[in-house]
Amino acid sequence: MNQALQQQNAHMMARRSAALPRGVGQAHSLFASRAKGAELWDVEGRRFIDFVAGIAVVNTGHCHPKVVEAAAAQMEAFTHTCFQVVAYDGYVTLAERLNALAPVAGPAKSFFMSTGAEAVENAVKVARAYTGRPGIIAFNGAFHGRTCMTLGLTGKVDPYKLRMGPFPAEIYHAPFPCELHGTSIDEAIHGIELLFKNDIEPARVAAFIIEPVQGEGGYYPVPTELLQRLRALADKHGILIIADEIQTGMARTGKVFAIEHSGVQPDIITMAKGLGGGFPISAIIGRAEVMDAVSPGGLGGTYSGSPLACAAALAVLDAVEEEKLCERAVQIGARMQARLRDMASWAPCIGDVRGLGAMVAFEFFHDAEHTRPAPEITKALVAEAFKRQLLLLSCGSYGNVIRLMTPLTLDDALLEEGFDVLEASLRAVLAAQG
Ligand SMILES: Cc1ncc(COP(=O)(O)O)c(C=O)c1O
């Protein structure tokens, strides 16, 4: 390898450490130079297979030609007007297209922000304005962002909430239903009933917020029965349901919105990540009547729904439709689960393999009863795969889950190549452990 290139990552990591606060974490000591599809090249010229996709963002692959072309064309025309000052077609067309897809009851309306956390903040604003109530019920293990309100909603202390409080008032957490870790659907519903009894009466609750597949918390799909019972509770008490689809949305799970798998209709949906194909945009989509509750001027932001990001998002929607990426997500997910189950047959520390579409995870334990999570195996596997130039990311309340979220455009050959590396990495980790 070119001598000048060697050590580039280490050199840049040193500059990074000197220039940035340590709170800005980084999963891998790696600096990118370019990326295409499901492959990424670093500043030393090495090629990596990407099973992370910028945390489920480039569902359409790095630098999808349609997305790049649409953004470049928009850049030639204009880059910023501030939508609330001078409007543009891309914003309205994107809203129309998402409204037509949204699985909510009756007509939908949408508006745009830049990040996932902003989308959640605004969903809460809309829910409070519509209901005139303050309370929001989230779930243990949830991740809704890093702003103060969204940290309040997030159900995990370390590292997100550590030394960050106080958080906004009137936020409550219910148990998340996860049989694997000992919480049943009945216990989750009972937890909500206890909140109603001990902490806040239902008449003061504006919304439940739930990720249809818990993301950072561990890639646990929410059982359909829980969503149905939540809908029934919501309807009984005039409470809204916000589906946080920031990680699950845009074809990742085999549907544009993951909640479609359940047939349950939320009142508001938040979306980000996959929507912009790498450009920062988030959406708040909901029942028109609910969305119109905020007075003019109460929603928006200088950069929200930027022309570039809207153009990119429209190209993402085209790619999802034309390349049948929902169907592809299902195929990728099935193949991933098959390979993971095969690995579990010789690696009993893999205690669970699960997924919805191409949102797939596997979880390590020290014991067959699943009482002792094994985050050290997870960490060692991520590190070993990295050495072999496969990018992986862990998650989960116990840090023992690996989540797979490849671009949905990757072909079978690259998927198998990545899995061959994953398998070899796990064999090496287990051999090292003796
Ligand atoms: C479900 C969910 N909600 C909200 C967020 C926050 O999004 P952002 O990091 O764009 O603010 C994330 C990010 O991972 C997420 O997964």
Side-chain angles (χ1 to χ4, degrees), residues 30 32 34-35 38-42 46-48 50 62 391:
L30 189 66
R34 68 191 169 91
E39 294 167 293
L40 181 149
W41 286 263
D42 76 348
R46 294 179 303 168
R47 166 204 180 246
F48 287 77
D50 186 0
H62 291 284
L391 296 179

Side-chain angles (χ1 to χ4, degrees), residues 55 115-117 120 143-146 211 216 244 246-247 273:
I55 317 190
T115 68
V120 172
F143 183 81
H144 295 294
R146 287 185 173 85
E211 300 158 83
E216 310 296 302
D244 183 346
I246 283 161
Q247 193 153 164
K273 293 190 183 283

Side-chain angles (χ1 to χ4, degrees), residues 37 50-64 67 114-116 216 219 245-252 271-282 312-313 316-317 319-320 325 358-359 393 403-409:
D50 186 0
F51 275 14
V52 180
I55 317 190
V57 166
V58 287
N59 292 357
T60 41
H62 291 284
C63 296
H64 189 289
V67 175
S114 303
T115 68
E216 310 296 302
Y219 270 38
E245 295 255 12
I246 283 161
Q247 193 153 164
T248 52
M250 200 41 80
R252 171 59 47 194
M271 197 182 213
K273 293 190 183 283
L275 175 61
F279 287 80
I281 183 163
S282 58
V316 165
L317 279 172
V320 165
L325 293 184
M359 197 168 177
L393 203 62
R403 52 176 151 172
L404 302 177
M405 44 197 159
T406 63
L408 305 176
T409 50

Side-chain angles (χ1 to χ4, degrees), residues 14-346:
R15 279 177 48 209
R16 178 197 200 283
S17 300
L20 275 62
R22 65 194 181 106
V24 183
Q26 188 170 330
H28 301 293
S29 301
L30 189 66
F31 279 77
S33 68
R34 68 191 169 91
K36 184 82 191 147
E39 294 167 293
L40 181 149
W41 286 263
D42 76 348
V43 284
E44 297 176 14
R46 294 179 303 168
R47 166 204 180 246
F48 287 77
I49 298 176
D50 186 0
F51 275 14
V52 180
I55 317 190
V57 166
V58 287
N59 292 357
T60 41
H62 291 284
C63 296
H64 189 289
K66 270 188 188 300
V67 175
V68 171
E69 195 187 321
Q74 180 60 51
M75 230 163 15
E76 290 290 330
F78 61 93
T79 57
H80 182 77
T81 60
C82 185
F83 187 77
Q84 296 114 101
V85 179
V86 177
Y88 33 90
D89 179 77
Y91 191 119
V92 179
T93 305
L94 184 60
E96 288 168 347
R97 287 185 67 178
L98 290 174
N99 294 342
L101 293 169
V104 299
K109 286 192 171 183
S110 298
F111 66 101
F112 304 111
M113 301 301 292
S114 303
T115 68
E118 283 179 304
V120 172
E121 292 267 351
N122 278 275
V124 169
K125 282 165 57 179
V126 170
R128 284 180 168 168
Y130 178 73
T131 58
R133 304 172 178 186
I136 307 288
I137 298 180
F139 287 82
N140 294 337
F143 183 81
H144 295 294
R146 287 185 173 85
T147 57
C148 263
M149 164 57 82
T150 58
L151 270 183
L153 295 168
T154 288
K156 184 179 180 188
V157 172
D158 189 4
Y160 308 119
K161 297 168 93 153
L162 228 45
R163 298 197 295 279
M164 296 290 179
F167 300 108
E170 303 288 16
I171 294 171
Y172 304 89
H173 286 91
F176 180 79
C178 178
E179 295 284 355
L180 185 67
H181 290 286
T183 307
S184 67
I185 295 171
D186 281 346
E187 281 164 331
I189 295 291
H190 182 59
I192 294 170
E193 281 159 358
L194 282 182
L195 286 178
F196 289 164
K197 185 172 152 62
N198 298 330
D199 294 293
I200 182 167
E201 68 274 32
R204 290 185 64 249
V205 177
F208 296 111
I209 181 164
I210 189 159
E211 300 158 83
V213 180
Q214 204 169 67
E216 310 296 302
Y219 270 38
Y220 301 109
V222 176
T224 292
E225 185 191 331
L226 186 281
L227 291 171
Q228 288 166 340
R229 290 173 69 178
L230 205 59
R231 184 72 266 176
L233 266 182
D235 290 344
K236 180 172 167 199
H237 296 296
I239 298 170
L240 302 181
I241 294 182
I242 302 169
D244 183 346
E245 295 255 12
I246 283 161
Q247 193 153 164
T248 52
M250 200 41 80
R252 171 59 47 194
T253 69
K255 305 261 186 205
V256 173
F257 301 94
I259 200 154
E260 292 176 73
H261 291 280
S262 71
V264 170
Q265 293 179 310
D267 301 285
I268 303 174
I269 302 171
T270 55
M271 197 182 213
K273 293 190 183 283
L275 175 61
F279 287 80
I281 183 163
S282 58
I284 304 91
I285 310 158
R287 289 201 284 123
E289 180 199 352
V290 172
M291 300 294 279
D292 272 331
V294 179
S295 308
L299 303 174
T302 306
Y303 297 110
S304 49
S306 87
L308 273 186
C310 287
L314 286 168
V316 165
L317 279 172
D318 288 343
V320 165
E321 281 170 22
E322 288 163 15
E323 295 168 33
K324 300 194 177 356
L325 293 184
C326 285
E327 289 86 334
R328 182 65 186 147
V330 173
Q331 289 167 0
I332 290 173
R335 184 62 193 143
M336 282 178 168
Q337 289 211 37
R339 290 229 33 187
L340 289 171
R341 287 186 204 291
D342 180 60
M343 284 164 62
S345 69
W346 51 261

Side-chain angles (χ1 to χ4, degrees), residues 333-405:
R335 184 62 193 143
M336 282 178 168
Q337 289 211 37
R339 290 229 33 187
L340 289 171
R341 287 186 204 291
D342 180 60
M343 284 164 62
S345 69
W346 51 261
C349 54
I350 298 181
D352 194 47
V353 172
R354 58 179 173 273
L356 196 59
M359 197 168 177
V360 171
F362 56 115
E363 187 155 349
F364 288 103
F365 292 92
H366 290 295
D367 58 335
E369 293 74 38
H370 304 146
T371 57
R372 290 190 297 126
E376 25 348 301
I377 301 181
T378 314
K379 215 170 154 190
L381 178 58
V382 172
E384 185 62 36
F386 176 69
K387 276 195 228 155
R388 295 163 189 255
Q389 294 168 217
L390 169 68
L391 296 179
L392 296 177
L393 203 62
S394 62
C395 66
S397 296
Y398 304 95
N400 66 328
V401 179
I402 291 190
R403 52 176 151 172
L404 302 177
M405 44 197 159

